[in-house]
Amino acid sequence: MDAPDVLDLWDLRVRHQPDAPALVTPDRVLTHRSVDRLTDAWAASLAGRGAGPGRLVGLAFADPGRTVLGMLAALKAGAGFTVLDDRLPAAARDSLVRRTAAAVWLGDGAHAPAAAYVPDGAAGGAADGTAGGAATGEGAGAADAGGRPVRPPARAAGHDVAYVLFTSGSTGQPKGTLIERDSLRRFAAAVAERLELAAGDRWLQVASLGFDVLIEEVFPALVAGAAVVCRADTRALDAEELHTMMARTGTTVVELSTQYWLEYARWLDARGLTTPPGLRLVVVGGERMDPRPYREWQARQPAQLAHVYGLTECTVSSTFYTGLLPADAGEVPLGTPLRDVEISVRRDGRPVPQGESGEIHIGGPLLARGFLDDDAATARRFVPDPLSAVPGARVYTTGDLGRIDADGNLVFLGRLDDQVKIRGHRLEPARVERALCEDPSVEQAVVFPDPATGTVLWAFTVPADPERAPLPGEAVRLTAAERDALVAPLEEQLPDWAVPRVLYRVSVLPKNPHGKIDKRRLSDWATATATVMNAAAATGTGTAATGTGAGRTVPGAPGPGGEPLSTVLGLFREVLGAPELGPDDDFFEHGGQSLLAMRLLARLREFLPSAAGLRASALLRCPTPRLLAGALATAGPREAGPRQAGPQEAGLPR
């Protein structure tokens, strides 16, 4: 008898609850029956164009809802899927399209390959469960007596590909991780079991498309009979938008990166609010968690927390921690493994005693097959497990340092190498450092996350021309023009989060007693520079000593006559940690990114009534304090950004 497939779990839900919601979008609510019929039609179209077992279907839609439908349709055609991230630079996208060699591409986004198409009926459908039209034309496939499309007969095996998603390419080009169908089935069922997902749950999809968290947001919900709630597009939601959308859609589960969750927690605390009544669980992961905000959330918020740990190569998540954090805990545990996951902590290939540290190893049937067309990298990271009694068993060497505590929970202790996490993505800083040093003006470079938030990459460069070096012990911040020239080549080949946004020039990279670059001293030099600039800004008598405004008079302290410019400028400086910032300096050129934009918007709303309706898109149009202040000065509270529509006006289900 064949092993069950992930589609068997889906079919079971369609039979038992055909009229229950399965997909919620801003336009409509699709029932299980509706989604099933629509994706049958898509699958027939895909099969007619060559999709099948062992092949890939590429997805490049502009909206998450159709991406979810495309994933399910590809599996129904017997194929696997890959999702093209619309945030990638064009050259990186083209490279991934070539490497996947997908049989078919679905999509309508600006980032979609030229051959991509949208199946007939993709825009149809209704809340009453109708499919909204079958796929007609080329490759339409068979239909039943009622004219409804019939799912292609191709039956994929458990070892066939389910999906290929690309890691961040921390040590070179991104690696395509190949997950098999049996691993996806086991993973979806295990997460649904651990989080106690049920038919009444609604999981809000917020991860970037192409990021492996997307898999966790979709398939556990679908196999549990819950609904996936999708945004209208892939634009990041700020804290207020996230809160509003969860309340309006009846979201019960959401997964946020560590830094995103911290921004949401700060926003709730600043307003004295609690999570929406329907929200029961927030899954948080991607970076080390500070116990203090974790405890504060558990004391103040009704929604529970689940701390998660996992890697793309091991089918997303491997461990979950859902307990109440003890008062004396120095770390938030990563929890215990899912069913079908084997966690061990080893040193020199052997397990260490409980409580001792070692490298975290992950084994079991949720491991990826390996890396797409890269046997050498697969052999390095997926190694035979000499401790397993299962013939051919493998184990994945994570490179993460950890231990097992007295309660059996895995605890994260850091990285064995220099790899870091930035906004939930793994990064080998050496890759960025090498790219910076390709500029002939740079002799040396070091890159690491900013110590305060860990959400922005800092870069310290030693100039090739000694005449351009500052005094020893000083860090001079590059001007916007210098920064742009230096990072422009990086922006063509790296995702946005991997490009340094704050750059300093130093005379030498200091070393610690162990001979390694002393990043703490570099941070201290940068802090000292900021302190000098802060004093100059406060008195209004200094000049910009850093490269961001060399020779420019620093604007004086905010005064009542300058409202709202003085307030806006002050908040820009506060959020960016850049007291030397001037009224015409660009937010994004001085380290700004999506998470800091959320923080800035929240602070602006606290001080300026006209900022009540402000949204992140306003910063893209008005990225300097002067431009944004001008927009706020001429707009009422509802004019500063998109107005707060009611559920019906916003196109969201009530």
Side-chain angles (χ1 to χ4, degrees):
M1 181 178 178
D2 292 337
D5 185 72
V6 65
L7 291 179
D8 295 328
L9 304 181
W10 163 257
D11 290 340
L12 183 65
R13 291 302 174 182
V14 174
R15 290 196 299 271
H16 288 174
Q17 50 185 75
D19 298 319
L23 184 64
V24 179
T25 75
D27 305 314
R28 53 184 173 160
V29 177
L30 290 175
T31 64
H32 281 71
R33 179 191 291 115
S34 171
V35 169
D36 195 50
R37 290 178 177 176
L38 184 57
T39 52
D40 277 354
W42 286 28
S45 177
L46 290 171
R49 297 187 181 215
R55 304 297 304 276
L56 287 176
V57 171
L59 303 174
F61 284 111
D63 69 273
R66 284 199 277 192
T67 300
V68 173
L69 294 172
M71 292 192 294
L72 189 56
L75 293 174
K76 285 187 173 185
F81 60 84
T82 189
V83 183
L84 192 59
D85 193 334
D86 61 357
R87 304 169 305 162
L88 290 175
R93 293 200 305 267
D94 292 343
S95 174
L96 296 192
V97 170
R98 289 192 301 270
R99 291 172 60 194
T100 54
V104 192
W105 276 93
L106 298 181
D108 59 355
H111 62 301
Y117 80 105
V118 179
D120 292 341
D128 61 3
T130 60
T136 59
E138 183 184 352
D144 63 15
R148 291 184 294 269
V150 175
R151 185 184 306 177
R155 173 74 181 186
H159 58 76
D160 282 325
V161 57
Y163 66 84
V164 171
L165 290 182
F166 287 83
T167 61
S168 56
S170 59
T171 57
Q173 70 173 354
K175 292 181 174 62
T177 302
L178 194 154
I179 302 296
E180 297 179 349
R181 295 176 76 105
D182 186 59
S183 298
L184 177 59
R185 174 189 65 84
R186 291 172 181 269
F187 167 76
V191 173
E193 175 185 78
R194 176 63 65 91
L195 300 184
E196 299 180 342
L197 299 180
D201 278 314
R202 291 188 172 196
W203 193 317
L204 178 61
Q205 194 284 308
V206 296
S208 300
L209 304 184
F211 194 26
D212 67 347
V213 174
L214 172 69
I215 303 299
E216 189 156 87
E217 294 173 320
V218 172
F219 287 98
L222 293 183
V223 304
V228 180
V229 180
C230 290
R231 301 158 288 157
D233 52 40
T234 60
R235 180 180 60 87
L237 303 172
D238 67 31
E240 183 175 351
E241 290 171 321
L242 173 69
H243 185 78
T244 300
M245 186 168 189
M246 290 192 298
R248 290 180 175 176
T249 59
T251 292
T252 63
V253 182
V254 67
E255 183 160 357
L256 306 176
S257 70
T258 304
Q259 293 298 328
Y260 193 176
W261 170 75
L262 286 171
E263 290 297 327
Y264 180 48
R266 291 189 189 104
W267 183 86
L268 288 173
D269 288 346
R271 284 152 186 77
L273 297 175
T274 58
T275 50
L279 186 68
R280 69 173 183 84
L281 181 66
V282 181
V283 182
V284 183
E287 298 172 58
R288 178 190 170 275
M289 173 69 71
D290 184 349
R292 180 186 52 78
Y294 203 86
R295 288 193 193 93
E296 291 176 350
W297 177 284
Q298 291 188 321
R300 300 176 187 174
Q301 300 298 336
Q304 295 181 342
L305 287 175
H307 194 213
V308 62
Y309 167 77
L311 302 102
T312 307
E313 296 88 344
C314 305
T315 314
V316 197
S317 295
S318 297
T319 66
F320 284 80
Y321 176 74
T322 56
L324 185 65
L325 190 65
D328 60 349
E331 294 286 343
V332 180
L334 301 177
T336 55
L338 292 174
R339 174 164 48 91
D340 290 327
V341 173
E342 300 167 5
I343 296 289
S344 59
V345 176
R346 307 183 189 186
R347 191 183 305 128
D348 298 325
R350 296 185 175 279
V352 301
Q354 186 179 57
E356 293 192 14
S357 64
E359 183 178 8
I360 299 172
H361 288 60
I362 302 178
L366 267 60
L367 292 191
R369 181 190 300 173
F371 299 117
L372 183 68
D373 298 329
D374 195 338
D375 293 340
T378 299
R380 284 195 302 270
R381 301 305 297 270
F382 297 86
V383 300
D385 187 2
L387 304 181
S388 176
V390 179
R394 301 174 303 153
V395 66
Y396 183 76
T397 56
T398 67
D400 290 331
L401 188 67
R403 63 179 176 85
I404 305 294
D405 69 14
D407 296 320
N409 289 303
L410 181 65
V411 178
F412 178 73
L413 300 176
R415 288 289 302 174
L416 291 173
D417 51 26
D418 290 330
Q419 197 175 88
V420 299
K421 275 209 171 180
I422 184 79
R423 289 150 64 183
H425 300 272
R426 284 176 290 157
L427 175 72
E428 184 66 53
R431 182 189 180 195
V432 184
E433 293 162 1
R434 288 193 298 268
L436 287 170
C437 290
E438 289 178 3
D439 190 295
S441 69
V442 176
E443 178 70 22
Q444 293 177 283
V446 64
V447 171
F448 55 90
D450 73 284
T453 69
T455 64
V456 178
L457 282 179
W458 281 7
F460 290 81
T461 62
V462 176
D465 181 3
E467 295 295 323
R468 300 188 68 242
L471 294 173
E474 289 186 353
V476 174
R477 191 159 169 176
L478 271 60
T479 65
E482 289 173 329
R483 189 200 70 86
D484 287 348
L486 199 53
V487 305
L490 278 67
E491 292 177 326
E492 295 178 358
Q493 54 182 302
L494 298 174
D496 177 75
W497 52 264
V499 177
R501 295 303 172 190
V502 179
L503 290 90
Y504 291 92
R505 187 165 52 245
V506 294
S507 61
V508 65
L509 297 179
K511 302 294 195 299
N512 62 24
H514 302 288
K516 294 188 176 182
I517 294 174
D518 194 334
K519 297 173 183 177
R520 177 169 295 183
R521 286 179 66 190
L522 288 171
S523 299
D524 291 343
W525 293 356
T527 301
T529 296
T531 301
V532 171
M533 294 308 303
N534 192 37
T539 61
T541 58
T543 58
T546 69
T548 49
R552 181 191 70 200
T553 300
V554 177
E563 294 290 344
L565 176 57
S566 61
T567 301
V568 175
L569 177 59
L571 293 176
F572 266 64
R573 290 172 173 172
E574 172 195 312
V575 169
L576 292 174
E580 76 282 5
L581 198 78
D584 298 309
D585 284 332
D586 190 293
F587 177 80
F588 300 99
E589 291 177 353
H590 288 75
Q593 34 78 8
S594 59
L595 291 171
L596 292 180
M598 292 180 193
R599 189 176 303 171
L600 176 61
L601 295 177
R603 295 291 284 153
L604 286 166
R605 293 178 191 132
E606 291 177 22
F607 285 89
L608 298 173
S610 58
L614 196 66
R615 290 294 177 264
S617 56
L619 270 178
L620 297 175
R621 297 190 304 270
C622 305
T624 71
R626 192 185 306 278
L627 289 174
L628 189 58
L632 291 170
T634 58
R638 289 185 173 273
E639 296 173 319
R643 67 189 182 92
Q644 295 294 301
Q648 190 169 3
E649 296 171 285
L652 296 172
R654 287 173 286 186

